[in-house]
Amino acid sequence: MGTPPTLESLAMQALVRSHSVSICDTLEDVPWLLFPRLFREAYAGGHAEVLKAMVQAWPFPCLLLGAVTRSPDLEALKAALDGLDLLLAQKDRPRRWKLQVLDLRSVSSEMRAQGCPSLAGSSPPGPLSPRPPATCDARRTEERPLTIVLDLTIQDGPQGAFQAYVLRWARKRRGRVQLRCEKLQILSGCTSRVRKALRPVRLDSIQELVVDCFWRRETMKTFARQLSQMQNLRVLHFSKMSAQVYTSRALNALYSRKYVAHLGRLQCLRELHVHDVFFLHGKLPAILGSLTALKTLSLSSCPLQEDDLKFLSGCACARQLQRLRLRSVCLGRFSPEPLRALLEQAAGTLETLALEDCGLTDAQLPAILPALRQCSQLGFFSFYGNPISLGSLCTLLSHTARLARFSQGIYPPPLESFYFQDDGVLGSIHLERFLLMLGPLLQAWRASSTPSQRFQICADFCHRRRKCQMVSLGPRGSWVLTVEGLPGLSALPA
C-alpha cells in the first residue's frame, strides 16, 4: 500500500485545480517557500490560470521557467507572459510584485542529473516565512524594468514557435521590458532576419556568440555595427568568410579594418575561435593587443603572416593562454622561432595544445621540442596532419608522454607509411608499411608513458565533415580503428 499524500500535498492539489477569480488573494496566504513546488504542480497539470496568477504573485526576484521542463512549452509561456501583462498594464506597480527576471533558458541534462534546480534561482535563505526578506530598495525595484532572459538561434527557414512568440512579445513592450540573451547563434545570412531578431535584444547582454554562415557584404556591414555594442562578449566563434569567396582586395581591406577595430575592443573576451575568415591576415596585433582576458585561442584555415605569429609570441595574453589551436595554418613556411617563443611564453598555463595540419616537418621539430618540454600543465596534445618521419615521431612521443599532467595525444602516421605521388605530394597510406611502423611507435610510447595516458594515431581526417579515422591501442594491447568526430577546442580534455 502506497504512502498517503500529506495534507500539504492535498492542499496544493486543491489550490491548483481552483479556477476561482480570487486565486490571487489565496496566493497571498501561501508560504513563499512553497511557491516553486506549487508552480510545478500547476505546470504539470496545465493550469494556465493558476500559472498566470502565480507569476503576478511570485515572491522571488527570479523565476526560472526554463527549468520546469526539458522542452519549451508554448502554452505555459503564454500564461506566464499574460500574467506579466496584467502587472505591466497597472499604472502603479503592486507592492507584492517581487519578480524582476523571467529566465526562459533550458537547463542542461547535466544540471538535471544533479537534481532539479530551484525555480527561484538559488536556495532561499532562512527558515520558512510568509514572505522573503527584502533584498533591495523598494524605489529602485520599481524603477527597474522587467528582464526576460533567453538564448537565441537565428537561422533560415521556419522559426521555433517559442522563440518567435518571445521576440514578438518583447518588441511590442520595448521600454518596459528588457530582453537579455547570453548565448546567440547566427546561422542565417539574411540581413533582415538578423536585424529583426536582434532589435529587442540588449546587445551588451550577449556573452557567447556563434556566427556560422556565409554572409553577403550587406549583412557584414550591418553586423559590424551590432558587434560594436556587444561589449561583454566572453566567447566568440566566427567562421565561413573565406578570402576565396570574398575576392575584392579593396573591399576586404575595408571590412578587415572595421571588424578588427570592433574585435580589438572586446575587453572581456576569454575565448576566440576563428575559422576560414579573410580579415585576420596581418591583423592579429590590432585584435589581440588589448584582449588581456583571453584564455583560449583557436585559429583555423586563416591566412596568417609570420609577423602575426611573432606578435602573438610577445603578446601579454600569451602568458595566460590555457588552450591554443592552430589548424590548417601554413606554419611550415615560417621560421620555427616564433612558435617556439609562443610555447615558451605559454608554458606555465597551457593545458591544451593543437598544432593540426600545419605543414610542420622534421626541420621545425628540434626548435619546438625544448619549449614543449617546458609546458608543465599540458594535458592534451594534438599534432595530426603534419608530415614527420618515424624517428622524429618517436622523439615527439617520448617528450610529450613524460610531461607530468599529460593524459592524451593524437599524432600523425609516420611519413614513411605514405605513398608518394609523381610530383612528390603525399598520397594515401600504404597499409603494410603503416602496420610495420606501429611496433616502433608503441615501443617509444611505452618507454615513457604511464598506463593512464592515451595514445592515438589519426590515419585520415576531413575537416569539412569533422570526421577522422583513429587508430588507438585497445584495452588488450591490440590496435583498434574507429571513426570519430573531431572535437571542438572547448570539448577537448585539459
Side-chain angles (χ1 to χ4, degrees), residues 186-191 194 209-224 226-227 236-248 251-253 255-256 258-260 263 273-281 300-303:
I186 302 180
L187 311 178
S188 171
C190 177
T191 306
V194 173
L209 170 64
V210 176
V211 177
D212 189 14
C213 187
F214 170 76
W215 280 357
R216 300 183 183 276
R217 300 286 186 188
E218 182 185 358
T219 308
M220 291 190 66
K221 183 179 180 180
T222 298
F223 190 73
Q226 295 170 329
L227 182 63
L236 173 60
H237 294 254
F238 226 113
S239 62
K240 295 185 180 177
M241 298 185 187
S242 173
Q244 297 177 357
V245 177
Y246 300 98
T247 55
S248 171
L251 286 176
N252 282 359
Y255 283 98
S256 289
K258 284 187 175 183
Y259 273 82
V260 165
L263 290 173
H273 305 255
V274 183
H275 171 70
D276 198 18
V277 300
F278 66 85
F279 54 73
L280 276 191
H281 189 64
S300 174
S301 301
C302 295

Side-chain angles (χ1 to χ4, degrees), residues 46-68:
H47 302 288
E49 291 301 318
V50 179
L51 291 176
K52 186 190 304 184
M54 290 198 69
V55 169
Q56 298 175 66
W58 192 252
F60 305 98
C62 181
L63 171 55
L64 301 182
L65 185 61
V68 181

Side-chain angles (χ1 to χ4, degrees), residues 149-214:
V149 184
L150 177 70
D151 292 337
L152 290 177
T153 299
I154 305 172
Q155 57 189 359
D156 295 324
Q159 195 175 25
F162 189 92
Q163 178 176 295
Y165 191 89
V166 175
L167 292 176
R168 187 165 55 249
W169 187 88
R171 276 195 295 268
K172 294 178 180 179
R173 292 156 183 83
R174 292 183 66 182
R176 293 181 296 163
V177 173
Q178 288 185 357
L179 182 58
R180 292 180 173 268
C181 169
E182 290 192 0
K183 294 183 180 180
L184 170 64
Q185 289 190 86
I186 302 180
L187 311 178
S188 171
C190 177
T191 306
S192 59
R193 184 183 292 266
V194 173
R195 185 189 295 120
K196 182 179 180 181
L198 294 182
R199 191 174 297 144
V201 177
R202 282 285 304 264
L203 297 181
D204 60 353
S205 68
I206 299 173
Q207 297 185 20
E208 182 175 340
L209 170 64
V210 176
V211 177
D212 189 14
C213 187
F214 170 76

Side-chain angles (χ1 to χ4, degrees), residues 356-433:
E356 301 161 339
D357 190 30
C358 291
L360 293 169
T361 64
D362 291 3
Q364 282 93 10
L365 206 57
I368 299 171
L369 285 177
L372 195 59
R373 282 199 302 266
Q374 299 177 37
C375 296
S376 57
Q377 305 300 312
L378 193 65
F380 178 90
F381 178 61
S382 179
F383 197 72
Y384 72 79
N386 294 296
I388 61 174
S389 66
L390 176 62
S392 295
L393 184 54
C394 288
T395 303
L396 181 61
L397 286 172
S398 63
H399 276 70
T400 51
R402 288 192 179 101
L403 294 171
R405 295 181 177 270
F406 193 72
S407 62
Q408 182 181 354
I410 300 177
Y411 304 90
L415 191 60
E416 295 89 341
S417 61
F418 286 90
Y419 284 106
F420 280 85
Q421 300 177 8
D422 294 338
D423 55 1
V425 177
L426 285 182
S428 59
I429 286 183
H430 189 294
L431 184 58
E432 291 183 3
R433 293 180 197 164

Side-chain angles (χ1 to χ4, degrees), residues 77-112:
L77 172 70
K78 290 179 178 179
L81 296 183
D82 286 347
L84 294 180
D85 273 333
L86 292 175
L87 290 175
L88 291 170
Q90 301 182 39
K91 184 177 180 181
D92 297 320
R93 180 172 293 193
R95 291 182 60 186
R96 69 174 180 270
W97 187 0
K98 304 294 183 182
L99 186 61
Q100 300 169 17
V101 179
L102 179 62
D103 195 334
L104 304 178
R105 294 172 296 178
S106 298
V107 174
S108 67
S109 56
E110 290 81 4
M111 288 183 65
R112 290 186 182 280

Side-chain angles (χ1 to χ4, degrees), residues 17-18 35 55 145 160 234 257 263 294 298 329 334 371 470 482:
R17 290 171 184 156
S18 170
F35 262 74
V55 169
R234 266 67 167 172
R257 288 194 297 271
L263 290 173
L294 196 68
S298 175
V329 177
F334 298 161
M470 290 291 191
T482 57

